[in-house]
Amino acid sequence: KAASDQRLAKFQIQFKIERNIAENQRLKKEDARFKSVIAFQNISLILLIGGMIIIVSGLFYLQHTNKEVKSKNEIIKKQNQNLANINLVKDKLFSVVSHDLRGPILQVKGLLNLFQSGNVDDDELRMLTPKVQENLDKTLELVDNLLIWSKNQMQGFKVKPSQFKICQLVNDNITYFETQIAAKKQMVYNQILPEDLLFADREMINIIVRNLLSNAIKFTHD
């Protein structure tokens, strides 16, 4: 009986050892499988994060590109508008030039043709010359105004104020019209004090004074 009990105990111990070994192998397999699953999950998470980073970067890039495209489109739109305005100014200039400048030039040409052909004598020429001179002066004034106006239209209207003596500017314009003033036997007095200063756009004020003087001379009787 003792020998039988001893063998039974030996079998039980051996069974427990084999069971423990099998359990250890199972646990090792489970651990390897869990590690494989965790590794796969980690790789998947890394890929997911990488994909999200790429997507977010792509969205930011698209947003930035979209802003650049909108900005460039705005620039192109403004440039096209400026070109359209310049073309409009050009058409207006050609219209004015063809209508208002041809008349005085043709008048001078006709007078010269009459003089060269002998169809007008010296007295008639002296009589016609003041009127032709007046028309030429008006044409020159028109050209000056057109050039300034077209420059402002094409380059954009910009006021450039500065401080200057208004008396001298008015005197310069009186001198500019002295031929017309003398022809109509008029007198022009500048009552602005020499030390008076004006803070404004000199070119614009010059145009205003010139136009005022021109109209005053034109619509004042001899």
Side-chain angles (χ1 to χ4, degrees):
K1 185 178 179 181
S4 177
D5 292 340
Q6 190 176 7
R7 283 197 299 271
L8 179 61
K10 183 179 179 181
F11 284 137
Q12 288 177 345
I13 292 171
Q14 186 177 0
F15 175 75
K16 287 181 180 180
I17 292 172
E18 290 178 352
R19 188 177 64 182
N20 289 336
I21 292 172
E23 183 66 19
N24 286 336
Q25 289 178 348
R26 186 184 67 80
L27 290 175
K28 286 181 179 180
K29 289 180 180 180
E30 288 290 331
D31 183 62
R33 187 172 65 83
F34 287 147
K35 286 181 178 180
S36 177
V37 171
I38 292 173
F40 177 76
Q41 290 177 344
N42 289 337
I43 293 172
S44 299
L45 182 61
I46 292 172
L47 291 174
L48 179 61
I49 293 173
M52 290 179 65
I53 292 173
I54 292 173
I55 292 172
V56 171
S57 300
L59 289 175
F60 277 116
Y61 175 76
L62 288 175
Q63 186 178 12
H64 177 71
T65 303
N66 189 39
K67 287 182 179 179
E68 286 188 347
V69 170
K70 287 184 178 180
S71 177
K72 290 180 180 179
N73 286 338
E74 286 295 324
I75 293 174
I76 293 173
K77 184 178 179 180
K78 290 181 180 178
Q79 290 176 343
N80 288 336
Q81 185 62 44
N82 289 335
L83 289 174
N85 291 337
I86 290 173
N87 284 331
L88 182 61
V89 171
K90 179 197 66 176
D91 293 339
K92 289 182 179 179
L93 280 174
F94 279 128
S95 176
V96 171
V97 168
S98 62
H99 181 268
D100 292 347
L101 299 186
R102 280 178 57 83
I105 294 173
L106 291 175
Q107 190 178 39
V108 173
K109 184 174 183 294
L111 183 61
L112 291 176
N113 289 336
L114 288 173
F115 180 74
Q116 289 177 347
S117 62
N119 292 324
V120 61
D121 56 27
D122 292 343
D123 292 336
E124 290 175 325
L125 183 63
R126 279 192 295 269
M127 183 180 64
L128 294 173
T129 299
K131 185 62 177 177
V132 174
Q133 178 68 40
E134 181 183 356
N135 289 336
L136 286 176
D137 290 337
K138 291 179 180 178
T139 302
L140 181 60
E141 179 187 351
L142 175 63
V143 170
D144 289 340
N145 288 334
L146 280 175
L147 290 176
I148 295 171
W149 175 76
S150 61
K151 178 182 177 183
N152 288 334
Q153 291 293 317
M154 291 182 180
Q155 297 181 357
F157 182 78
K158 294 181 181 179
V159 179
K160 297 179 181 179
S162 62
Q163 195 173 56
F164 59 93
K165 292 183 178 180
I166 183 65
C167 180
Q168 184 59 49
L169 183 142
V170 174
N171 282 335
D172 292 340
N173 278 281
I174 293 174
T175 302
Y176 179 84
F177 288 109
E178 61 183 5
T179 302
Q180 293 95 308
I181 295 171
K184 296 190 72 175
K185 298 180 176 63
Q186 296 170 344
M187 297 295 293
V188 179
Y189 298 96
N190 183 3
Q191 296 180 330
I192 301 174
L193 298 178
E195 65 271 16
D196 284 348
L197 296 175
L198 184 67
F199 183 74
D201 189 307
R202 182 183 178 90
E203 188 176 25
M204 293 172 61
I205 298 300
N206 188 59
I207 295 173
I208 293 170
V209 172
R210 183 168 297 184
N211 286 331
L212 286 172
L213 274 173
S214 175
N215 287 330
I217 295 167
K218 185 191 307 180
F219 295 109
T220 300
H221 296 298
D222 293 2

